[in-house]
Structures are given as structure tokens and as C-alpha cells.
Amino acid sequence: MLMNYFWAFTVGGLLCLIGQLFIDLTKISPARILVAYVVAGVILGGAGFYKPLVELAGAGATVPLTGFGYLLAEGVKKAVSERGLLGIFTGGFTAAAAGLAAVVVFALFVAVLFKRGDKMS
């Protein structure tokens, strides 16, 4: 069980380290790095290379943005096998629906609960 924590921390930390190095050592904007992480997760997930990493590291591989890309790729693969060509367009949305709904609900909750204001005081 302790090794699960080790691998999750190691893999998640390495993914974050790579992103931080891109931010510090290149002129690539953070937004483009985030998009690249999602696209990399889709490509690696679609090719079958990301699944062993998820099995090894658990949340260390699924929580970073590459994990979101992997989730989209897995959803598309499942939907294509069940629905055919239409699954290309619906699979990613179906797979990520619960997480995206939670983001919307919690964002609304925070927006209602806290007052927006300038931080320049």
C-alpha cells in the first residue's frame, strides 16, 4: 500500500516538474502548456501507452491534465465500440460529464458564497 503512495507522488510530481520546466525554461505560455498536456494525454491514451501508467500511479497519473486527456480518449474508444462512428463525437463528453458537472456546480457555489473584489489594498 505504501508503494501506491510512492508511485502516485513520483509520477504526479514528474508530470508537474516537466510542466514547471516548460514554464521556466521556454517562452511557451502556460495556457499552451496546459493544452499540450491534455493533447498528450489524448494521444498517449488513444495509443494505449497511458493506461499502464494509470495502473501504476493511480491518482498520480489521472489527476494532472494528462489524465483528463486520457479520460477523453478512453471515453471515445468505448463509445466507438458501442455506437460506431457517432461515438467519436459523444464519447469524450459522456466520459467527462460527471467531472465537468461538478466543476460547474462548485464554481457556482464559490461565486455565490464569496464576494468579488480587488486585491490591491
Side-chain angles (χ1 to χ4, degrees):
M1 174 136 169
L2 190 57
M3 289 305 289
N4 292 342
Y5 293 117
F6 171 79
W7 286 115
F9 180 79
T10 302
V11 170
L14 284 174
L15 289 170
C16 293
L17 174 69
I18 293 167
Q20 190 63 49
L21 288 173
F22 274 118
I23 290 171
D24 292 343
L25 302 176
T26 68
K27 295 189 185 272
I28 302 171
S29 71
R32 290 184 180 192
I33 294 169
L34 296 176
V35 170
Y37 263 49
V38 174
V39 171
V42 169
I43 292 169
L44 293 172
F49 296 122
Y50 206 76
K51 187 172 184 133
L53 192 61
V54 169
E55 291 171 356
L56 172 70
T62 58
V63 171
L65 282 174
T66 49
F68 180 66
Y70 166 74
L71 174 71
L72 294 175
E74 288 298 306
V76 168
K77 284 197 294 190
K78 180 180 176 190
V80 166
S81 69
E82 292 174 356
R83 297 185 194 106
L85 189 61
L86 185 62
I88 293 172
F89 303 106
T90 62
F93 293 114
T94 304
L100 294 175
V103 166
V104 170
V105 169
F106 288 123
L108 178 63
F109 176 72
V110 169
V112 169
L113 191 62
F114 296 100
K115 181 180 174 187
R116 180 176 166 253
D118 290 334
K119 303 291 184 214
M120 304 287 288
S121 297

